[in-house]
Amino acid sequence: MKKTVLNMFTIAAIGLAVVGCKNENKETETTEAQEVANATMEATVFEVDTTASVINWQGEKPTGTHTGTIKLQKGTFKANDSVIESGTFVIDMNSIKDTDLEGDDKLSLENHLKGTVEGKEGDFFNVTKYPTGTFEVTGVSEKDGKTMLQGNLTLKDVTKNIEFPVTININEDTMELTSEKFNIDRTKWNVNYGSKSVFDGLGDKFINDEIELMIEVKAKKA
């Protein structure tokens, strides 16, 4: 009996550890959409290199973690010296890729995320109806010794303002912007599938609301 009880507690402890083992990154501050930043006439224009830019993502659930990438379709930034004054990029939602699976499992997850599976179009991003997302810069500030980028993120026709730490390197011909890893709550953009904050009775079959992102943008002087 003691051994049975011990095994039950061990299983329970492992289960709690798995559920609690989500990424440690703080959820980004999310507010209503803000006014988009405007650049001065003297600002230098940089066109995003879509072949060298990427959004890395990670999603988690009690049974495991998935990682992947999303490409940018196009984008433009305007900067003066080492300061970004304005900018926007378009996210190609059809380019969603998984990087931790192979074969049919990989294809199945990608199609589910895109919403190209009949009857499951609205579970995640429904790329047929919403083929692109956008990010528009609303400001740049300093906080706790870090450069913080603020911008309106639009997914599935929902726009929210988010803020996250970035490193920005600008010279005469190129611009590089790399974010730290940060989390967004997907349900704020109506991506609700498997969310225990939206649906009851999911047990351990839920998917964490937080999606971890890391953005890498490279751009060239236009």
Side-chain angles (χ1 to χ4, degrees):
M1 174 64 73
K2 288 184 178 180
K3 185 176 181 181
T4 301
V5 172
L6 179 60
N7 286 341
M8 288 175 65
F9 275 110
T10 301
I11 292 169
I14 292 172
L16 287 172
V18 171
V19 170
C21 186
K22 62 182 180 181
N23 59 66
E24 297 293 327
N25 299 307
K26 182 179 179 182
E27 182 185 331
T28 184
E29 181 178 343
T30 305
T31 60
E32 295 305 307
Q34 305 293 319
E35 184 176 352
V36 176
N38 292 312
T40 60
M41 294 290 291
E42 297 79 15
T44 302
V45 178
F46 294 89
E47 296 289 342
V48 171
D49 181 355
T50 57
T51 63
S53 302
V54 67
I55 300 174
N56 300 285
W57 60 266
Q58 177 173 300
E60 298 183 353
K61 56 184 178 179
T63 55
T65 299
H66 292 299
T67 58
T69 60
I70 310 176
K71 294 181 179 180
L72 304 186
Q73 191 177 91
K74 60 181 179 180
T76 303
F77 285 83
K78 294 182 179 180
N80 198 344
D81 295 326
S82 60
V83 179
I84 288 177
E85 295 188 357
S86 68
T88 182
F89 57 77
V90 177
I91 305 165
D92 181 4
M93 301 306 294
N94 280 286
S95 71
I96 295 174
K97 294 293 182 184
D98 168 86
T99 55
D100 64 282
L101 298 174
E102 296 180 351
D104 291 341
D105 290 338
K106 172 184 170 70
L107 184 61
S108 177
L109 176 58
E110 290 173 352
N111 288 340
H112 194 190
L113 292 173
K114 293 177 186 179
T116 55
V117 180
E118 186 175 357
K120 297 183 178 182
E121 292 85 352
D123 284 358
F124 288 99
F125 295 103
N126 198 348
V127 300
T128 302
K129 187 175 182 179
Y130 309 105
T132 61
T134 59
F135 180 83
E136 299 175 286
V137 173
T138 59
V140 180
S141 62
E142 296 293 323
K143 182 185 293 185
D144 299 328
K146 294 185 176 182
T147 300
M148 305 297 294
L149 182 66
Q150 297 92 32
N152 292 332
L153 174 63
T154 300
L155 298 171
K156 298 180 72 173
D157 280 353
V158 177
T159 303
K160 300 288 183 180
N161 191 266
I162 62 174
E163 176 183 75
F164 50 90
V166 294
T167 300
I168 301 171
N169 293 307
I170 300 173
N171 60 38
E172 290 185 359
D173 298 317
T174 62
M175 184 207 82
E176 293 186 5
L177 182 153
T178 304
S179 78
E180 294 184 13
K181 293 178 180 179
F182 65 95
N183 295 334
I184 63 170
D185 180 347
R186 61 189 175 91
T187 65
K188 293 180 179 178
W189 285 267
N190 292 334
V191 183
N192 296 327
Y193 180 79
S195 168
K196 64 179 181 180
S197 67
V198 177
F199 303 105
D200 295 326
L202 293 176
D204 63 354
K205 299 186 183 300
F206 67 90
I207 301 171
N208 289 350
D209 290 350
E210 298 82 8
I211 301 176
E212 179 187 276
L213 301 177
M214 186 181 76
I215 301 172
E216 299 177 77
V217 177
K218 295 185 179 182
K220 300 177 182 179
K221 184 177 178 181

